[in-house]
Amino acid sequence: MKQTNYHLFDFMDFDPTLQRDESLWKAYAPTKIVERDGDIIITIPYQKQRHQEDMEPDTDTPQQTYDLIIRAYEPNIIRLFTTMTDDEMTDHDEMLQMAPAVKRQPLRLHGSVCCDIVAANDKKVATINLEAPRLDHWSDLLPAPQPAPFITFYPDGDTSKPVALSDDHFSPPRYDALPLGFCSVSCCATATTTERATISFRCDANEHFVGTGERFRKMDLSGQTFQLKNQDGQGVNNRRCYKNIPFYLSSRMYGVFYHTSDYCKLSLADHSARSVQFMCDRATLDVFLIGGQTPEEILRGYRMLTGFPAMPPLWSFGIWMSRMTYFSADEVEDICHRLREEHYPCDVIHLDTGWFRTDWLCEWKFNPERFPAPKAFISRLKEQGFKVSLWQLPYIAQGAEQLEEAKQNKYISQPTREEDTSTGGASNFSALDYAGTIDFTYPKATDWYKYTLLKPLLDMGVKCIKTDFGENIHMDHQYHASTPERLNNIYALLYQKAAYEVTREVTGDGIIWARAGWAGCQRYPLHWGGDSESSWAGMAGSLKGGLHLGLSGFAFWSHDVPGFHSTPDFMNSPLDEQVYVRWTQFGVFTSHMRYHGTCKREPWHYPEIAPIVKRWWKLRYRLLPYIVEQSELACQSGLPLVQALLFHHPHDRQVWHIDDEYYFGNELLVCPVMNADNRRDIYLPEGPWVNFLTGERLEGGRWYYQVEVPLDQMPVFVRPDAVIKMYPHDVDSTDDMDLSQSTDITITHNFKGITL
């Protein structure tokens, strides 16, 4: 058992044996505050601490001084920047894509002992308290507390919800959080380097936190610490995470975006219940505090910094059919023929790992024997209303046709040792050795990927590239413009941007199908939840991840229906037909809907439930006008398609704990059934509600316990007088749709529910 329950070791990552020659530096009270070019510059001294468990200033070592820059932007954004590594503040990089509406607000100082920082519009942005702490002295048993910077921020000018730096300690020697601090490490007898920095904010005892990426956890993340380090999630029911996003939203109606791609750690009232703590592996802190009165307003502010999602094409909202994997053109065409013959509506056929010469050996070329005329094959599918999506990954395998070209031109990462045989990009399912990761820090490699590997496929009619993997890279390799440690998290953004841009350029449709993620990836839809277990637990974990991802800036999200892998035999256990139906119902009410997994996914293989599945597929297509309408709204706001209840009811404390219900768009309240008992508890927020399928009317502001739900039904609620756009008749694909024919379903007192 290695956890110590002490801040120095468990959060700041000091060696518990204190054998490593490293030092902690604590921020003291400011020594100088000036206004410069509209920013406020605060000079902060840092005092080295003695190399021991309890904190004690090492007064034999001179203090080091660093500036904290405070900058304000419209609307409701405060930026804090400090660096111990000579990094420069920038308003634009791969993550940071500020919208034109984000404008700097010049700041000025007012007062001396309690300095107010005021924006040009007279909004109070922050207060710096320079007063000596009040004392009523009676004992010298313990040393006096070390000085600290007492700075309080008001991101939206609302002084009733301050965000203050936290100088959190039990007694002066026993600290649980630092307002600001950094670590230095001895390189040799005469030199040291800085390598970690921390910042902490106070939190309330009843404060809740959400976001941080596709987090497969309960809705309220309070009391947890997360490593923001992308890795293969290997399921949706553990701590591992494909999509870490350095952003959280607080129930006190503020958000924080930590602008970095470095490995970092975020403790949400965990190491101390009084503090939110952040630590970055690089000794630079670039922190955006985002204010607002609603979660949507705060998420809109985050997107104004990192980019708004693009609108996917209409056909992408239809049903995608896939499995791991189809192996020939004949197999695919047989499936597509049956989908049309039996009128299962479907728009996309996805070819996973089996379209290459060798399964998993990604060479971006069709197998000439099993797919002998790929352009004609894709054209035939197009005539039937099917778009083709192709799997690939960003690693070049040993034995791949492109390996020598990639090595010679340094399009892939280069081993640091001649004998290196690392498989940093290896899959869970293939024994292939991947020789290197495509180096998207190198423009020539990016162009090679876009125009040599992907463009020929897109030219022949492929409509979407599945940008699988990307959460892991070769860590013991060299890259052109980054260390692997700094590249790992942001790699997904560079990778997905390249695939998205060339797809939009060639096909006109901006879309990918991606698994990994970091801040900014929401600009390039869409993302799916990875390798979920085909089980009730897998379904519940998927929804948790989707809700938190929607609270992290992403508008569009999907998942494998009815889960990716079987259990207990990963590849070979048959599906649970109840899970298939319930996951289908859930999928109808998410932004995108793809069937995929390790065994048969086509509904006719399950004849007892196939009629139920077909009815829900038809409902999906009837809902497409509503889905398009809500998607267009999401692309201009802070809303996702799958919305946690707290988006609409932030002052209802119940909803900060509910992760098995959600709004689909702004109007539909969805309650998936995620058990074999055909019943569930339902919470309806305050006000009247109408069951969308049955017309039953219920009163909100209460729980309904053990509600019975037949297998062919799922609880979906709307408000009286809501208007839902729907398509008036059944279609086989979106090619058959004319959205101008959409009709409005108004929830009047005569509404009796829709017919499945």
Side-chain angles (χ1 to χ4, degrees):
M1 182 174 179
K2 296 183 178 179
Q3 183 170 298
T4 68
N5 294 326
Y6 290 108
H7 173 261
L8 184 69
F9 307 123
D10 294 348
F11 188 74
M12 294 303 300
D13 290 343
F14 271 66
D15 175 12
T17 68
L18 296 174
Q19 295 300 303
R20 190 180 186 215
D21 192 359
E22 55 190 338
S23 302
L24 178 65
W25 296 75
K26 181 188 182 299
Y28 272 24
T31 56
K32 184 179 180 182
I33 307 170
V34 298
E35 181 274 326
R36 186 175 68 207
D37 298 329
D39 293 335
I40 302 301
I41 314 299
I42 305 174
T43 302
I44 295 182
Y46 289 79
Q47 181 64 61
K48 183 180 178 182
Q49 305 296 304
R50 296 197 181 278
H51 194 53
Q52 59 191 36
E53 183 176 293
D54 282 330
M55 285 183 62
E56 178 184 354
D58 179 359
T59 55
D60 295 332
T61 302
Q63 293 180 346
Q64 294 188 22
T65 299
Y66 298 97
D67 287 341
L68 173 67
I69 302 172
I70 300 179
R71 178 175 292 177
Y73 302 86
E74 292 181 335
N76 302 328
I77 297 170
I78 302 172
R79 186 177 191 177
L80 315 178
F81 182 88
T82 188
T83 180
M84 298 83 187
T85 59
D86 296 323
D87 288 338
E88 293 184 1
M89 186 192 294
T90 178
D91 279 356
H92 186 90
D93 60 18
E94 291 292 350
M95 287 173 284
L96 211 54
Q97 306 276 313
M98 291 189 183
V102 177
K103 300 182 185 301
R104 284 186 60 182
Q105 274 277 351
L107 298 174
R108 67 179 188 274
L109 290 167
H110 179 73
S112 54
V113 177
C114 270
C115 291
D116 287 339
I117 299 175
V118 182
N121 58 6
D122 292 328
K123 180 176 71 177
K124 185 190 286 190
V125 168
T127 297
I128 307 170
N129 187 351
L130 299 175
E131 289 183 307
R134 293 180 58 194
L135 296 175
D136 183 9
H137 185 81
W138 73 281
S139 173
D140 293 318
L141 179 64
L142 290 173
Q146 297 187 51
F150 294 108
I151 309 175
T152 303
F153 305 96
Y154 312 103
D156 58 2
D158 185 348
T159 57
S160 70
K161 49 178 189 179
V163 183
L165 293 180
S166 178
D167 191 54
D168 183 348
H169 57 274
F170 165 68
S171 65
R174 181 65 70 194
Y175 274 78
D176 290 318
L178 299 179
L180 289 162
F182 70 93
C183 301
S184 63
V185 179
S186 293
C187 304
C188 60
T190 58
T192 61
T193 183
T194 56
E195 66 170 31
R196 310 193 291 284
T198 185
I199 185 171
S200 303
F201 300 108
R202 295 179 194 166
C203 66
D204 290 348
N206 61 352
E207 193 167 346
H208 311 299
F209 304 97
V210 296
T212 78
E214 190 184 35
R215 196 65 59 193
F216 307 122
R217 317 297 284 183
K218 295 289 188 181
M219 179 55 61
D220 181 12
L221 300 177
S222 179
Q224 299 186 62
T225 297
F226 301 107
Q227 305 281 347
L228 302 185
K229 177 181 180 179
N230 281 358
Q231 62 186 122
D232 190 333
Q234 299 177 327
V236 298
N237 300 101
N238 59 70
R239 289 185 176 185
R240 294 180 293 272
C241 192
Y242 305 102
K243 308 173 189 69
N244 287 282
I245 308 298
F247 170 87
Y248 73 83
L249 172 71
S250 163
S251 60
R252 291 201 297 117
M253 289 303 105
Y254 75 93
V256 180
F257 168 47
Y258 300 96
H259 174 219
T260 183
S261 65
D262 291 286
Y263 293 150
C264 41
K265 186 187 294 189
L266 181 60
S267 174
L268 300 170
D270 180 15
H271 286 271
S272 170
R274 297 175 293 206
S275 302
V276 174
Q277 303 180 61
F278 176 80
M279 186 184 73
C280 183
D281 269 6
R282 187 172 179 84
T284 293
L285 297 166
D286 193 6
V287 183
F288 290 83
L289 304 178
I290 306 167
Q293 297 303 308
T294 66
E296 185 277 329
E297 187 179 348
I298 295 164
L299 265 297
R300 186 171 2 117
Y302 171 74
R303 287 181 181 171
M304 291 175 78
L305 292 173
T306 60
F308 284 82
M311 181 68 181
L314 171 63
W315 57 261
S316 74
F317 296 104
I319 289 168
W320 301 46
M321 179 52 64
S322 174
R323 81 168 82 140
M324 187 184 141
T325 177
Y326 301 134
F327 282 106
S328 71
D330 289 343
E331 181 185 18
V332 170
E333 293 197 78
D334 285 346
I335 289 168
C336 291
H337 176 73
R338 187 160 182 180
L339 285 165
R340 290 292 178 257
E341 186 177 56
E342 299 186 15
H343 297 291
Y344 286 95
C346 183
D347 266 79
V348 185
I349 194 79
H350 171 70
L351 308 187
D352 217 58
T353 63
W355 62 281
F356 308 114
R357 172 169 53 90
T358 302
D359 188 21
W360 281 97
L361 183 58
C362 178
E363 295 179 298
W364 291 272
K365 293 185 178 180
F366 282 92
N367 182 298
E369 296 176 356
R370 292 183 280 108
F371 295 89
K375 186 173 183 179
F377 160 70
I378 293 168
S379 180
R380 289 193 300 272
L381 294 180
K382 180 181 178 182
E383 290 173 1
Q384 301 173 64
F386 290 102
K387 315 303 187 286
V388 173
S389 166
L390 293 180
W391 178 94
Q392 50 85 83
L393 77 180
Y395 317 116
I396 306 295
Q398 298 286 1
E401 176 184 317
Q402 298 88 355
L403 180 58
E404 286 309 311
E405 178 188 10
K407 279 184 173 180
Q408 290 174 10
N409 292 283
K410 297 187 177 180
Y411 294 152
I412 59 175
S413 56
Q414 304 295 303
T416 54
R417 303 184 309 275
E418 193 64 36
E419 70 274 12
D420 176 82
T421 58
S422 168
T423 55
S427 81
N428 302 316
F429 318 113
S430 167
L432 288 172
D433 180 19
Y434 290 93
T437 299
I438 297 175
D439 186 356
F440 291 107
T441 72
Y442 184 35
K444 290 183 178 179
T446 302
D447 286 345
W448 175 74
Y449 171 75
K450 291 166 71 172
Y451 299 111
T452 301
L453 302 184
L454 296 193
K455 188 175 184 295
L457 299 168
L458 298 166
D459 283 338
M460 70 174 62
V462 171
K463 297 291 282 186
C464 179
I465 300 298
K466 179 178 175 180
T467 48
D468 204 355
F469 293 85
E471 56 282 298
N472 292 333
I473 63 174
H474 286 78
M475 297 304 295
D476 50 0
H477 282 204
Q478 293 178 330
Y479 297 82
H480 277 77
S482 179
T483 64
E485 291 79 13
R486 301 204 74 196
L487 178 61
N488 192 170
N489 282 336
I490 203 173
Y491 184 82
L493 177 59
L494 306 180
Y495 169 34
Q496 292 161 21
K497 177 184 178 184
Y500 177 90
E501 287 180 343
V502 70
T503 301
R504 184 181 59 185
E505 177 185 329
V506 175
T507 72
D509 290 334
I511 188 169
I512 54 174
W513 190 275
R515 188 171 77 173
W518 190 254
C521 282
Q522 75 276 358
R523 301 193 296 265
Y524 311 113
L526 61 108
H527 295 75
W528 103 100
D531 297 340
S532 53
E533 179 184 77
S534 182
S535 66
W536 302 117
M539 183 178 171
S542 293
L543 177 54
K544 288 179 173 68
L547 290 172
H548 280 296
L549 194 67
L551 288 158
S552 305
F554 287 71
F556 303 105
W557 168 82
S558 189
H559 44 95
D560 289 341
V561 184
F564 173 72
H565 71 89
S566 299
T567 185
D569 187 314
F570 190 95
M571 299 294 293
N572 302 305
S573 292
L575 290 174
D576 182 313
E577 294 189 2
Q578 270 192 286
V579 172
Y580 191 110
V581 171
R582 293 303 192 189
W583 209 314
T584 290
Q585 294 166 345
F586 161 47
V588 166
F589 294 90
T590 52
S591 82
H592 290 77
M593 188 176 181
R594 183 184 74 160
Y595 286 77
H596 185 62
T598 57
C599 61
K600 300 179 182 70
R601 290 300 188 264
E602 300 78 24
W604 51 79
H605 295 295
Y606 310 95
E608 291 195 10
I609 62 169
I612 299 175
V613 170
K614 183 185 287 187
R615 290 198 294 272
W616 283 88
W617 284 23
K618 290 178 180 292
L619 175 61
R620 170 72 182 190
Y621 277 76
R622 289 173 61 198
L623 285 169
L624 285 185
Y626 171 79
I627 294 171
V628 169
E629 173 191 64
Q630 296 297 312
S631 296
E632 290 172 342
L633 175 63
C635 290
Q636 305 167 37
S637 66
L639 293 168
L641 265 289
V642 173
Q643 304 170 7
L645 298 188
L646 62 88
F647 271 103
H648 296 268
H649 312 281
H651 303 298
D652 183 343
R653 292 185 64 181
Q654 293 267 13
V655 304
W656 290 87
H657 302 280
I658 294 176
D659 51 32
D660 62 353
E661 300 180 18
Y662 59 95
Y663 279 87
F664 182 50
N666 283 336
E667 304 295 343
L668 299 174
L669 175 59
V670 183
C671 306
V673 177
M674 295 189 283
N675 60 64
D677 301 329
N678 290 328
R679 58 181 66 240
R680 64 158 292 155
D681 297 341
I682 295 172
Y683 179 73
L684 293 178
E686 190 172 356
W689 292 93
V690 181
N691 188 310
F692 188 54
L693 301 184
T694 68
E696 180 186 10
R697 281 157 170 75
L698 297 172
E699 192 61 33
R702 57 161 292 187
W703 284 94
Y704 292 84
Y705 294 103
Q706 292 296 294
V707 177
E708 188 170 346
V709 186
L711 185 61
D712 64 345
Q713 297 287 313
M714 181 178 72
V716 180
F717 297 93
V718 287
R719 294 288 197 183
D721 300 324
V723 178
I724 308 297
K725 283 189 178 299
M726 296 189 70
Y727 207 66
H729 51 261
D730 293 339
V731 296
D732 285 338
S733 78
T734 57
D735 283 2
D736 302 332
M737 300 182 80
D738 175 2
L739 290 185
S740 67
Q741 297 181 14
S742 303
T743 58
D744 290 342
I745 306 297
T746 303
I747 313 303
T748 66
H749 66 281
N750 294 320
F751 179 73
K752 303 300 182 185
I754 62 168
T755 302
L756 272 176

